[in-house]
Amino acid sequence: MNETRHRVLDALSDGPVSGPELAEELDISRSAVWKHVEALREAGFDIASDDAGYSLAAVPEFGGEAVEYGLDAPFEVEYHDSIPSTNARARDLAAAGAEDVVVLADEQTGGRGRLDREWSSPSGGVWLSILFRPDVPMAQAPAFTLAASVAAARAAREVGVDAGIKWPNDVLVESDGDERKLVGILTEMEGEADRASWIIVGIGVNANVDPEDLPAEANPTSLSAELGDPVDRRVFTQRLLELFEELRRDPETAVAEWREYATTLGKRVRVETPDGVVEGEAVAVEFPGGLVVDTGDERVTVSAGDCDHLRPL
Ligand code: BTN
């Protein structure tokens, strides 16, 4: 949303304000005011108008403008009702030079997961990709993935869902030893070893979706299933982005905070890494995101892989 439209919205939320007053306040023509008002109405904002002028009566439930309105983070939000994959779209935007853009969708028709898996993304979820260009070496990128999982776990807890994180970045809800997946994160990046050119953090939150509509293998849950009621996706998305914004500024703290939500530390794990299987007790997570596993013989740090929590011996 451009700066002037933001200012129109702010003025309307303090309304009623007349067209001429608005034009003068923002130093634009009356017809420009009218165009902004119409564009906002088209985006779903309910703008009342009477003798006293215009005022903001209601904000749309979801969408790009809705999420940007009142968002305390410097992201532009590009919204799609339906798109193959927000990560794929963010890659195109990266190639075109964009940054600090969030691609958000109600539904994905070709959502992608880790390890080349599909990610089922029916309408009602929060499927988004954050494209940014941090000034860090590529090796530090895993810290942003952990930051995203912390932001997602915290946002879930703020709406009352007791989420934890399985290394490296599965956000889960545990009950009676059963782990149900709530959020998945897929990070992609490009650049030289000493500096990432761009990073895309793709976050898929099963928000208002019925777990029955998701593949059973992942043992999925959703915010609405845990709470018994749908969540306000606009507010949830805003909090997720605001929390991520804080953490991306300070990746070392993000890793420290990750430990607070970790369900993996202290557990017996089996990690399938590109170099083979590592089994033992998960004892620590080190910046930028490696898991330290005590195999009984030695301590091994694994930086990538698929992690299973095992039953205690
Ligand atoms: C996983 O396998 O756990 C990661 C899933 C990541 C899914 C998200 S949804 C938004 C973004 N767009 C995609 O195509 N994938 C990610």
Side-chain angles (χ1 to χ4, degrees):
M1 197 184 332
N2 73 27
E3 179 64 28
T4 314
R5 194 153 302 161
H6 257 298
R7 293 177 62 207
V8 171
L9 257 181
D10 284 343
L12 294 177
S13 62
D14 296 335
V17 57
S18 72
E21 276 167 349
L22 249 181
E24 195 178 323
E25 195 179 317
L26 304 182
D27 197 18
I28 56 177
S29 67
R30 287 184 200 187
S31 78
V33 166
W34 186 79
K35 276 186 194 146
H36 283 298
V37 167
E38 281 312 296
L40 287 166
R41 282 182 170 147
E42 238 159 71
F45 288 87
D46 182 359
I47 297 170
S49 78
D50 58 24
D51 294 346
Y54 297 114
S55 54
L56 180 62
V59 176
E61 256 179 49
F62 201 46
E65 259 105 354
V67 169
E68 276 186 32
Y69 175 66
L71 174 67
D72 189 12
F75 299 117
E76 202 179 297
V77 182
E78 180 188 287
Y79 174 77
H80 301 263
D81 283 329
S82 181
I83 193 171
S85 156
T86 57
N87 265 38
R89 170 67 186 148
R91 286 184 78 103
D92 290 345
L93 292 171
E99 70 177 307
D100 285 349
V101 174
V102 173
V103 182
L104 172 69
D106 175 44
E107 173 195 64
Q108 294 184 118
T109 52
R112 303 199 324 246
R114 290 172 63 225
L115 309 169
D116 269 335
R117 294 178 187 138
E118 285 174 14
W119 178 261
S120 180
S121 325
S123 168
V126 170
W127 322 120
L128 63 82
S129 302
I130 308 169
L131 162 63
F132 58 108
R133 297 177 186 270
D135 187 9
V136 297
M138 292 276 257
Q140 284 188 20
F144 295 104
T145 308
L146 297 196
S149 59
V150 173
R154 227 194 253 170
R157 287 188 186 193
E158 283 183 10
V159 294
V161 174
D162 190 18
I165 309 172
K166 184 176 82 158
W167 183 87
N169 51 38
D170 280 343
V171 179
L172 306 169
V173 179
E174 256 187 345
S175 79
D176 302 329
D178 185 26
E179 294 172 328
R180 293 188 301 268
K181 184 152 166 166
L182 182 68
V183 179
I185 295 166
L186 175 67
T187 300
E188 301 184 66
M189 72 202 87
E190 202 171 272
E192 306 290 325
D194 62 338
R195 193 175 188 282
S197 162
W198 52 255
I199 297 183
I200 292 169
V201 174
I203 309 177
V205 185
N206 299 335
N208 298 334
V209 296
D210 184 345
E212 301 268 310
D213 295 338
L214 300 170
E217 309 89 78
N219 201 19
T221 188
S222 67
L223 293 174
S224 55
E226 295 295 325
L227 295 168
D229 272 316
V231 288
D232 182 331
R233 284 189 297 163
R234 178 176 72 88
V235 174
F236 180 86
T237 306
Q238 288 177 329
R239 284 303 291 148
L240 179 61
L241 295 176
E242 288 166 359
L243 291 165
F244 181 75
E245 166 63 15
E246 270 173 41
L247 295 164
R248 77 162 165 158
R249 302 265 163 221
D250 187 3
E252 301 213 19
T253 305
V255 176
E257 295 204 3
W258 184 93
R259 295 186 188 103
E260 278 178 38
Y261 296 92
T263 60
T264 300
L265 297 181
K267 286 213 171 89
R268 280 204 336 117
V269 295
R270 180 176 193 279
V271 189
E272 272 182 48
T273 78
D275 307 318
V277 173
V278 176
E279 211 173 293
E281 186 188 340
V283 289
V285 161
E286 287 174 351
F287 183 81
L291 181 69
V292 184
V293 181
D294 184 344
T295 65
D297 296 325
E298 57 176 345
R299 287 187 166 208
V300 184
T301 303
V302 289
S303 53
D306 227 11
C307 173
D308 280 328
H309 291 164
L310 305 175
R311 287 179 189 287
L313 285 174

